[in-house]
Amino acid sequence: MRDIHVIHKNDKYIVFHPQSLGLFSVAEDIGEKLKLYESRSGDSDFVVEDDILQLIDYFNNVGKTNLSKELKWLEHEPRTLCLFVSQDCNLRCSYCFADHGTFGRESRMMDIRTAKRSIDVILGKTFDNFIVFFGGEPFMNFNLMTEIVEYGRQAGLKINYTTVTNGTLMNDDINKFIKETLYSLCVSLDGPKEINDIQRYGSIESVHDTVIETIESIKSIDFPISIKCTATKKSIHALTAIARYFGDLGVTSMAFAHVSRIPQESEFYISDSDFEIYAKELSSILLENLNQLAAGDAGTEVAPNFGILRQLITRTRAIHHCSAGREYLAVTADGDVYPCHEFVGMDEFNMGNVHDEGFPGEDYDRIRAIFSNHSVYTSKGCMSCWARFLCGGDCAVRSYLYNGDLSSPTNKKCIWAKTIWETLLPEIAEIFQDKNKTNNLIKSLDAIKHNGMYKNLFAE
Amino acid sequence: MEGVVEIKVPEIEGLYETFAEMTVHCVEAGTHS
């Protein structure tokens, strides 16, 4: 296998070695030879010169001494529950994949009986657990959230709580709950008013203005807040301006997701060619943020920069896109269990109901096994890709919906991963060759861990 | 090797443990860090 990747940028040649997640800076003549080797070594008429073979041996030998390890979420028993506390929402956003939480059925709320049963039969007693309050809009069922926290406390379980909200239903009680109970808060906002309010709306006059008030109130209680921005056809050209707008709001972190699971006819749909624009915009945002971090400014992290740096520094291979179906499970308001929140409503992935007498039963074990067994090692689209251990493959639900199986990556994910990594790796290599920038970066990562989104998880 | 420089990565104590402390790493779930 041609297990190197050469990136030529700004007259510099960087070699990435996937097996060790190692980076090398090489001279121009070597870079050009390796590029040729990378692109042609599978051809029957291509003769590999001895000096190239020596170089490959060198990379492999250095790689062996810096061997990377795998991030094996499958080693964990389930410990993160995504609870659909509310399968209803007060907004009617244009691109919602979940039909405002209903997944095409009637609106409904989880009750405490289902929540307790979910905790009892799924979460472990001997390790830290996580609960993501999900919807719909979770705060439409705020009382249940408080009851769940009280139940977890009485049961003696160590549970870390978080939620993702549209940020339009806040009040003093909710702010108090956030401050005292959650470890982080994610609020959806798609940009300035003229962008956000054409795709996120409801019966309130301006979702944007309401969310801005929420962000200010959360900041005033000194609590880490992240923004989740859904990029659509209407916003991809303005992403850099949107990122700067979020940065000016003083949030702790921001993350971008592209709209998916909407019809191609939708005015918000992002085609593959438009997606290249999105990936380039996102890459330049991440690059700017990376340089801020290397300048010692850890004010706002753009995800996944922290994760990218953590992966390279700790030499940790991602072999799955995420922990869905293994460490992470979703439970609907009715108690149906799915591998993640995006599989809800797909009968073939229903793992059973927490109220079933025999739960967890055969379907649960069978589906967990499926999710445990697929990885970049088994995916034909990933197993020979240079970026496989950096990206971990595609989101299982998107692979399933667009390619018919859980592990075939979509074209969009491959564009996303390769564009971002090819942009960031040369810059990261340059930072690591500069002592001051490296020291600044170390301080920034430490600040993110202790003052950023991890603040309440690592509080002493 | 001549013409090749290995890029050394810094060692940061306690960085790996943030993998274990986080959950699903999903933007849609709001757990993207």
Side-chain angles (χ1 to χ4, degrees), chain A residues 136-171:
Chain A
E137 169 47 42
F139 285 116
M140 287 182 75
N141 201 1
F142 175 50
N143 284 344
L144 178 68
M145 293 161 77
T146 63
E147 288 180 87
I148 289 171
V149 171
E150 183 54 31
Y151 179 71
R153 192 174 290 139
Q154 286 176 2
L157 295 172
K158 176 75 167 66
I159 303 175
N160 301 292
Y161 299 93
T162 186
T163 192
V164 52
T165 173
N166 65 35
T168 62
L169 296 176
M170 303 315 203
N171 57 40

Side-chain angles (χ1 to χ4, degrees), chain A residues 403-414:
Chain A
N403 289 339
D405 70 68
L406 292 169
S407 57
S408 293
T410 61
N411 193 34
K412 285 189 169 108
K413 177 60 192 281
C414 296

Side-chain angles (χ1 to χ4, degrees), chain A residues 1-60:
Chain A
M1 185 190 295
R2 307 172 299 285
D3 219 5
I4 58 160
H5 181 58
V6 183
I7 305 171
H8 178 200
K9 188 181 173 191
N10 298 337
D11 294 329
K12 291 183 178 170
Y13 291 81
I14 297 296
V15 174
F16 174 68
H17 184 250
Q19 295 287 342
S20 62
L21 306 186
L23 291 168
F24 301 85
S25 172
V26 300
E28 181 179 353
D29 58 329
I30 294 175
E32 284 298 327
K33 281 186 179 181
L34 288 171
K35 270 178 71 179
L36 188 65
Y37 166 78
E38 185 185 0
S39 63
R40 290 215 50 211
S41 65
D43 299 347
S44 57
D45 60 343
F46 183 73
V47 179
V48 184
E49 296 172 15
D50 283 348
D51 58 343
I52 295 299
L53 288 174
Q54 285 174 14
L55 280 163
I56 301 300
D57 278 347
Y58 169 77
F59 295 134
N60 287 337

Side-chain angles (χ1 to χ4, degrees), chain A residues 23-27 30 55 62 66 73 79-80 130 226 228 255 310 313-314 316 322 342 433 449 454 458, chain B residues 1-8 10 12 14 16-25 27-30 32-33:
Chain A
L23 291 168
F24 301 85
S25 172
V26 300
I30 294 175
L55 280 163
V62 173
N66 296 321
W73 276 304
R79 64 171 198 158
T80 302
F130 293 82
S226 69
K228 171 191 142 190
R310 171 176 58 185
I313 291 169
T314 62
T316 304
C322 71
E342 293 217 27
Q433 290 178 95
K449 180 180 169 184
Y454 295 93
F458 292 98
Chain B
M1 178 168 274
E2 193 176 342
V4 180
V5 176
E6 182 194 356
I7 311 292
K8 302 282 187 186
I12 304 181
Y16 184 78
E17 69 193 63
T18 62
F19 278 119
E21 290 293 346
M22 283 307 289
T23 55
V24 71
H25 306 275
V27 179
E28 290 295 348
H32 42 255
S33 286

Side-chain angles (χ1 to χ4, degrees), chain A residues 190-330:
Chain A
D190 291 352
K193 188 169 184 170
E194 63 273 18
I195 293 173
N196 184 81
D197 286 358
I198 59 168
Q199 45 196 55
R200 296 186 61 77
Y201 41 75
S203 58
I204 55 178
E205 191 172 332
S206 167
V207 170
H208 167 272
D209 292 353
T210 309
V211 172
I212 295 298
E213 286 175 23
T214 294
I215 290 171
E216 292 304 322
S217 73
I218 299 300
K219 278 168 55 187
S220 73
I221 58 172
D222 189 27
F223 192 82
I225 182 168
S226 69
I227 287 178
K228 171 191 142 190
C229 172
T230 302
T232 71
K233 164 87 173 173
K234 290 184 176 294
S235 65
I236 52 173
H237 295 276
L239 279 193
T240 301
I242 291 171
R244 289 186 181 143
Y245 180 72
F246 292 158
D248 290 343
L249 291 175
V251 294
T252 316
S253 103
M254 67 181 91
F256 295 86
H258 64 276
V259 69
S260 68
R261 303 178 67 174
I262 61 169
Q264 291 192 19
E265 304 76 49
S266 166
E267 60 185 322
F268 299 102
Y269 179 79
I270 301 176
S271 65
D272 277 6
S273 58
D274 285 337
F275 195 82
E276 290 183 14
I277 298 167
Y278 166 70
K280 283 178 184 164
E281 282 270 326
L282 183 56
S283 296
S284 72
I285 292 166
L286 289 165
L287 186 64
E288 185 175 321
N289 183 243
L290 176 66
N291 284 316
Q292 285 170 345
L293 298 176
D297 174 8
T300 301
E301 182 237 348
V302 182
N305 262 344
F306 182 85
I308 286 170
L309 290 163
R310 171 176 58 185
Q311 206 179 340
L312 285 173
I313 291 169
T314 62
R315 292 188 188 274
T316 304
R317 299 179 193 177
I319 63 170
H320 304 290
H321 170 81
C322 71
S323 57
R326 294 176 293 274
E327 179 266 347
Y328 176 84
L329 298 173

Side-chain angles (χ1 to χ4, degrees), chain A residues 65 372 418:
Chain A
T65 61
S372 294
K418 290 176 181 174

